[in-house]
Amino acid sequence: MTASWLEEHEAHELLGRFHLDHGEIIAAVNHLVAASSHELLNTLGAQLPEEPFHLPVPDNWAAHPRWRRHCTLTAVRATADLLPDEQARGWVDVTLAEIADDQEVPFGTHNVRRAAFSAFASLADAADTQQAQHFLDLTGLVLTGPGRRHRGAEQDYAQALIRIAIRHPGLQRVEAVDRVCQVLLTDAFAANVILGRGEDALRLQPSVVSERCTTAAASGNTEAALALILAKTPADSARPLAQTLLDHSLGRQTETNPNIDASPSQAAPLIGCLLPMGDRESFADALTLRIRSHHHTAQQRQEALDALNILSGYLGPEQRARYLDVALDAARGRLDGSTQDDLNTAHVYDRFQLDMGTATLRYHGLSTAAHVAQTSSDGEEIIGIALPLLAQPDEPAESLIVEALAQLPRSQHLLPLLVLAGHSSPWIRALAAHLWCTTDQTAATAHLGTHLAADASPRVRCTLARELPNDEEHTALREVLRHDCRRSVRTAAGQPAHR
């Protein structure tokens, strides 16, 4: 009798794919774990039906080989949002036990502790108070301990702390936000996670953010300065940094070296919040020159449009109106054509494919135009540009288009809700949910809330749960969302509506 380990793994992966295609999810997970098929396990969450997914903790977990525990935790991370709360808390205990394991990870083997951090970050919403405190106790030295034994887990650590801060009040929230600020000042990749997803957590404890970040902002730390602004706490200590970034963008000679890692989108809120209107307009004019210049790369010009988008929130109506033309020109495609665009064209048979993202400015221009639009005619023009773009975008572009349409003032929105709610794209149906929650309803659209609450896309249901007005009229609908199969939707339905 002979056997092949490689062929056995291949057989398990084929069986896993077969069961997944036929809806036998548990059997599929067992085979994919046996095959160590990390790629398929990582995408498992997107292939599950919208119903609770039961994955109990295996008996005698610690006796399982390292590779199997690692793969199983990968599956847990991918399916965490659909796990029932009781099972999720069982897996939280498993991840905490793995994080607490002090044994060295043998070279070349699976890092189960790292997988446990990722799984806990996805499960943190389900952790009870005792489990959250245990995590904080275990990870107190993540960034400062000897040898940094949790190296590589900083981004997951940041995500877990954000969720703990939002879910658990009192001293745990204070400690979690304090740790968030420490991570922000220590790891650049984790700082991107915090600045992108942690605004709600930072605003819960502005005094903690101020204590941790004020000195660093005064020393020129861009991330610390941005955290102060997101937390809506005084950021005067960052004014010299904002001035330096403005001088750098205008080509002025300065005695201090600016943070060259600060993008225009990072400079925009600092300049907008901390410098006078004349300086804001000077920065906006410099951004406009970059947007219109074909001698910059498409990415640089897209970043300039994004920065103008952010800066528009700090400009008055008259100032914003000055920049509508450049945004509309970009949205219409009139400014397309940038240096190095040819680098993004490769033959299908080329050995090395270089993907620098889309080279068009149309989607970023549309988003900026929506932010600076002033009149109903502006809104009509933006909608007229957006609708043809929706016919053939990829998903990132589609999200930018929908974001642009969502930014239009309610009085300028002419898109019929009934049409949007029946669109094939989840992004468009999410826009319908946003508009339904933020506009007065007629007899024809009153029923749409119930329809959107049963939508097949979690993006739509989560948007509805997050923005649903917290009043008696919508109590029954909110109760439906609080019993959704996804924890993210249930959690959003339990929060006050964001305005």
Side-chain angles (χ1 to χ4, degrees):
M1 174 184 275
T2 61
S4 168
W5 184 247
L6 181 62
E7 290 177 357
E8 182 179 341
H9 273 231
E10 184 179 359
H12 275 300
E13 182 167 324
L14 288 172
L15 285 169
R17 290 177 182 271
F18 175 81
H19 285 301
L20 197 59
D21 290 341
H22 290 81
E24 298 291 335
I25 308 300
I26 293 296
V29 170
N30 290 333
H31 283 293
L32 293 175
V33 168
S36 294
S37 185
H38 293 283
E39 183 176 349
L40 284 174
L41 289 170
N42 277 320
T43 61
L44 188 62
Q47 303 180 60
L48 297 180
E50 288 299 304
E51 59 188 37
F53 177 63
H54 295 275
L55 185 65
V57 177
D59 295 332
N60 201 14
W61 167 264
H64 287 220
R66 181 182 296 274
W67 64 268
R68 180 175 285 275
R69 282 155 41 214
H70 184 277
C71 290
T72 304
L73 288 173
T74 300
V76 170
R77 182 200 59 76
T79 61
D81 203 29
L82 286 169
L83 292 176
D85 288 342
E86 185 175 352
Q87 285 187 6
R89 283 189 285 271
W91 282 110
V92 167
D93 286 333
V94 169
T95 62
L96 292 173
E98 294 289 357
I99 293 171
D101 185 359
D102 287 328
Q103 295 183 24
E104 286 293 326
V105 178
F107 178 77
T109 63
H110 294 88
N111 190 333
V112 184
R113 189 184 301 130
R114 177 71 180 81
F117 255 104
S118 293
F120 181 88
S122 298
L123 293 164
D125 283 346
D128 60 29
T129 301
Q130 185 177 358
Q131 290 172 325
Q133 187 60 52
H134 190 193
F135 176 78
L136 293 173
D137 293 339
L138 281 175
T139 58
L141 300 179
V142 161
L143 300 174
T144 59
R148 295 273 302 278
R149 66 188 183 92
H150 300 303
R151 186 182 298 276
E154 291 87 357
Q155 294 179 68
D156 292 321
Y157 183 46
Q159 183 61 45
L161 291 172
I162 289 169
R163 294 188 173 190
I164 289 174
I166 292 173
R167 182 172 175 84
H168 298 280
L171 293 178
Q172 284 187 341
R173 175 171 293 164
V174 173
E175 184 174 359
V177 173
D178 185 68
R179 299 268 192 94
V180 165
C181 294
Q182 292 182 52
V183 178
L184 177 103
L185 298 175
T186 306
D187 185 85
F189 293 106
N192 289 335
V193 172
I194 294 166
L195 295 175
R197 308 178 192 171
E199 181 175 355
D200 290 342
L202 294 173
R203 287 186 180 180
L204 291 171
Q205 291 293 329
S207 60
V208 174
V209 178
S210 179
E211 182 178 352
R212 276 288 181 184
C213 296
T214 297
T215 301
S219 300
N221 187 302
T222 304
E223 288 78 13
L226 290 170
L228 292 173
I229 291 174
L230 289 178
K232 293 190 173 180
T233 191
D236 294 341
S237 61
R239 186 168 285 112
L241 172 62
Q243 186 63 56
T244 299
L245 292 173
L246 174 64
D247 292 339
H248 179 67
S249 68
L250 299 179
R252 298 172 182 167
Q253 295 295 325
T254 60
E255 297 180 358
T256 58
N257 293 320
N259 182 352
I260 58 174
D261 292 330
S263 67
S265 295
Q266 291 177 312
L270 297 177
I271 293 170
C273 183
L274 301 173
L275 298 184
M277 184 61 73
D279 287 338
R280 300 175 208 172
E281 292 184 70
S282 296
F283 184 55
D285 291 340
L287 293 172
T288 301
L289 290 175
R290 173 176 291 195
I291 294 166
R292 291 196 178 277
S293 171
H294 296 274
H295 298 295
H296 290 84
T297 66
Q299 183 181 10
Q300 290 172 330
R301 299 169 75 196
Q302 290 165 0
E303 286 180 350
L305 280 163
D306 293 341
L308 185 59
N309 191 335
I310 295 169
L311 188 68
S312 67
Y314 300 95
L315 300 175
E318 293 183 4
Q319 289 82 12
R320 284 198 298 270
R322 289 175 48 197
Y323 306 105
L324 179 62
D325 287 342
V326 67
L328 288 175
D329 284 345
R332 295 188 186 103
R334 295 174 181 173
L335 301 183
D336 281 359
S338 307
T339 188
Q340 297 184 7
D341 277 359
D342 56 319
L343 295 180
N344 208 26
T345 57
H347 192 274
V348 66
Y349 293 141
D350 285 351
R351 184 173 182 180
F352 297 104
Q353 302 281 341
L354 182 62
D355 184 5
M356 300 177 65
T358 180
T360 183
L361 306 185
R362 300 193 70 178
Y363 307 118
H364 295 264
L366 186 72
S367 180
T368 302
H371 278 79
V372 300
Q374 300 293 311
T375 65
S376 57
S377 61
D378 294 340
E380 291 178 16
E381 190 166 6
I382 290 167
I383 291 172
I385 296 171
L387 292 180
L389 292 178
L390 283 171
Q392 49 193 9
D394 53 18
E395 185 169 342
E398 193 172 22
S399 67
L400 283 172
I401 296 169
V402 170
E403 178 190 354
L405 294 175
Q407 287 298 323
L408 290 175
R410 308 296 167 256
S411 59
Q412 297 180 19
H413 243 295
L414 307 176
L415 295 172
L417 276 178
L418 292 172
V419 174
L420 295 176
H423 199 278
S424 60
S425 166
W427 284 102
I428 304 299
R429 300 199 303 276
L431 174 63
H434 164 76
L435 294 174
W436 189 85
C437 291
T438 54
T439 55
D440 295 331
Q441 301 309 314
T442 64
T445 60
H447 71 285
L448 276 183
T450 302
H451 172 75
L452 293 167
D455 194 275
S457 169
R459 177 176 290 113
V460 177
R461 305 197 308 275
C462 201
T463 300
L464 183 68
R466 188 172 57 249
E467 303 197 21
L468 192 67
N470 193 21
D471 54 28
E472 187 174 348
E473 180 182 352
H474 298 93
T475 300
L477 187 56
R478 183 174 293 279
E479 196 61 27
V480 170
L481 294 167
R482 283 175 174 163
H483 289 83
D484 194 89
C485 62
R486 286 191 175 268
R487 186 177 306 103
S488 57
V489 177
R490 299 196 299 271
T491 301
Q495 304 289 334
H498 291 278
R499 290 292 183 223

